Amino acid sequence: MRTTLKTWGRQTLAALALCGLGGVGGVAQAADLVIGQVAPLSGVLASTGHQMVVGGKIYFDHINAQGGVHGAKIRHEVVDDGYKVPETVRLTREMLAKPEVVALFGFAGTANVTQLLTDGVLDVGGAALVAPYTGGESLRNPFNPWIFHVRAGYADETEHMVQQVTTLGMSRIAVMYQDDGFGKAGLLGVENALAKRKLKLAAAAGYERNTDKVEEAVKKIKASDAQAIIMISVNKSTAAFVKLYRETGGGAQLYNISVVDPAELVKLAGLKNAHGLGISQVVPYPFMPNTPVVREYHALLKKYAPGEVVNYTSFEEFVGAKVLVEALRRAGPNPTRARVVKALESMNSFDTGGVVVNYSPANRIGSRYVEVTVIGSTGKLLK
């Protein structure tokens, strides 16, 4: 598959080359189906962005090896926004200015994608955005026609975590959150889940986006004597919080929303500190190939990205790529952006091989699946 990788970080490009993902393509043929992806390949979310791209690309490679969709090859164009909102907006505008781009895929960041709606970028472009890596409620309610979610929302995740914590008899619950649309969406989810149970937050402490400056958050939450802490944060800030909190004597049960990479948390925070951390998940456990979609993911990861390891993030975007390819099939030869949107709307109870998504003209939330995993004593995730 010919892939155009613009503003790709040096480290990411080197990593892709090592695992056989680094081919940069030539001139596109007229029949190519161009999928645009704006992903955080540098900055605090770089490892997550890398996995997002891998998950989609291995499936697109597979489809191209089978002859493409209606004889047309998929060209997966990826650009790096560094998790910066203005860059997401600028690069998406550039993507949508290209008439050959038939759909968008796998963006990251609640604040980033919310800004696309606020600025009318998706309205003007008229292309579907499939499988964004965000569960922000602002992207789901009120209804918008352009974003097709594969994952459950942060409200679903926080409800599940609060239910688990309160079932265990804990009532003093604190939140550490990224001070932006992403973090505030999760914070609101926790507050609403607690209110249903006639409880209030023990403490809420934010940290600045694109940093790991969590010292004040640790101090505030430790002072609250919380029994459980739910973190709405990304890899580096989560690891910094966990490390400092544990090393200064914090003993609460720790949880985090699904967007973190447990392997990076263990690496950055240390296994002793990360052990026991609960992480909500919005797709089934990808480490045991006991469903068709997980077996397919394992096989294609090994074939097209042999240097990569099984990962929740890449698996989630793999499922999203399957959804998008099915929409391209249903849209017929030479699809337009509008036909891809209509095709996605027709996908009621579409089974990817063990993960089912449901869309309709009035529904864009494909799944509400949530479960909680735990980082075990060896650093591996346990169900």
Side-chain angles (χ1 to χ4, degrees):
M1 182 180 75
R2 295 177 298 276
T3 304
T4 303
L5 303 174
K6 296 179 180 177
T7 63
W8 187 276
R10 289 181 182 176
Q11 291 182 344
T12 301
L13 184 59
L16 290 181
L18 286 172
C19 66
L21 291 173
V24 180
V27 178
Q29 296 175 358
D32 284 353
L33 300 172
V34 182
I35 305 302
Q37 182 171 13
V38 178
L41 299 173
S42 60
V44 296
L45 217 61
S47 64
T48 297
H50 173 75
Q51 292 296 335
M52 290 169 59
V53 173
V54 168
K57 190 179 186 303
I58 61 173
Y59 191 68
F60 298 144
D61 279 350
H62 167 67
I63 292 300
N64 284 341
Q66 304 302 309
V69 181
H70 299 298
K73 296 295 180 72
I74 296 171
R75 180 155 56 90
H76 182 200
E77 292 200 355
V78 184
V79 292
D80 174 24
D81 64 3
Y83 196 45
K84 297 174 183 176
V85 172
E87 282 296 281
T88 308
V89 173
R90 180 183 69 81
L91 293 167
T92 305
R93 281 193 185 120
E94 289 180 3
M95 283 277 190
L96 292 173
K98 303 175 183 179
E100 66 270 24
V101 173
V102 295
L104 303 174
F105 172 75
F107 287 31
T110 299
N112 305 64
V113 181
T114 296
Q115 197 63 46
L116 297 178
L117 295 178
T118 301
D119 291 357
V121 176
L122 299 182
D123 285 318
V124 171
L129 168 54
V130 177
Y133 196 71
T134 166
E137 196 62 25
S138 60
L139 306 176
R140 297 153 185 266
N141 185 28
F143 174 87
N144 78 78
W146 309 116
I147 303 175
F148 288 81
H149 302 277
V150 169
R151 59 158 49 223
Y154 297 145
D156 301 306
E157 292 187 63
T158 51
E159 164 63 27
H160 193 92
M161 286 189 281
V162 168
Q163 180 182 18
Q164 179 165 319
V165 167
T166 54
T167 298
L168 294 172
M170 302 179 197
S171 59
R172 298 193 308 278
I173 301 168
V175 172
M176 192 278 283
Y177 67 98
Q178 183 164 289
D179 192 8
D180 67 352
F182 156 59
K184 290 174 181 176
L187 173 62
L188 180 61
V190 176
E191 289 174 329
N192 289 342
L194 288 172
K196 283 173 57 177
R197 295 160 175 86
K198 299 184 173 15
L199 296 172
K200 291 186 178 180
L201 276 176
Y207 70 91
E208 185 182 349
R209 176 189 174 94
N210 278 324
T211 74
D212 58 3
K213 297 176 182 177
V214 296
E215 293 82 3
E216 290 303 312
V218 170
K219 187 183 301 183
K220 183 175 182 180
I221 289 176
K222 277 194 70 184
S224 75
D225 196 28
Q227 296 164 299
I229 302 166
I230 296 175
M231 296 174 283
I232 318 295
S233 50
V234 297
N235 291 329
K236 291 185 179 179
S237 49
T238 300
F241 182 92
V242 170
K243 188 173 191 295
L244 184 58
Y245 178 76
R246 289 292 190 226
E247 291 180 354
T248 54
Q253 174 63 51
L254 300 177
Y255 292 87
N256 206 95
I257 212 97
S258 62
V259 298
V260 289
D261 177 356
E264 184 164 5
L265 295 187
V266 170
K267 178 182 176 182
L268 295 176
L271 178 56
K272 181 179 177 181
N273 297 319
H275 177 213
L277 172 65
I279 304 173
S280 58
Q281 306 294 353
V282 293
V283 290
Y285 195 69
F287 300 96
M288 297 290 288
N290 51 9
T291 60
V293 67
V294 176
R295 286 194 291 272
E296 183 181 29
Y297 163 70
H298 278 231
L300 297 185
L301 191 69
K302 183 176 181 180
K303 182 174 182 179
Y304 292 106
E308 299 292 338
V309 296
V310 172
N311 176 279
Y312 263 104
T313 302
S314 62
F315 178 59
E316 179 181 332
E317 294 305 315
F318 179 82
V319 173
K322 293 200 71 169
V323 170
L324 179 51
V325 168
E326 176 63 19
L328 294 174
R329 286 198 182 101
R330 296 187 185 198
N334 303 311
T336 63
R337 294 175 184 178
R339 281 165 61 190
V340 173
V341 170
K342 289 293 184 186
L344 284 159
E345 288 181 338
S346 76
M347 293 170 63
N348 182 37
S349 297
F350 173 64
D351 188 352
T352 65
V355 177
V356 178
V357 296
N358 295 277
Y359 300 125
S360 74
N363 177 49
R364 297 294 192 265
I365 302 172
S367 170
R368 293 191 181 274
Y369 176 92
V370 181
E371 68 176 358
V372 174
T373 56
V374 177
I375 296 178
S377 60
T378 64
K380 299 291 180 64
L381 271 185
L382 307 174
K383 288 184 68 171

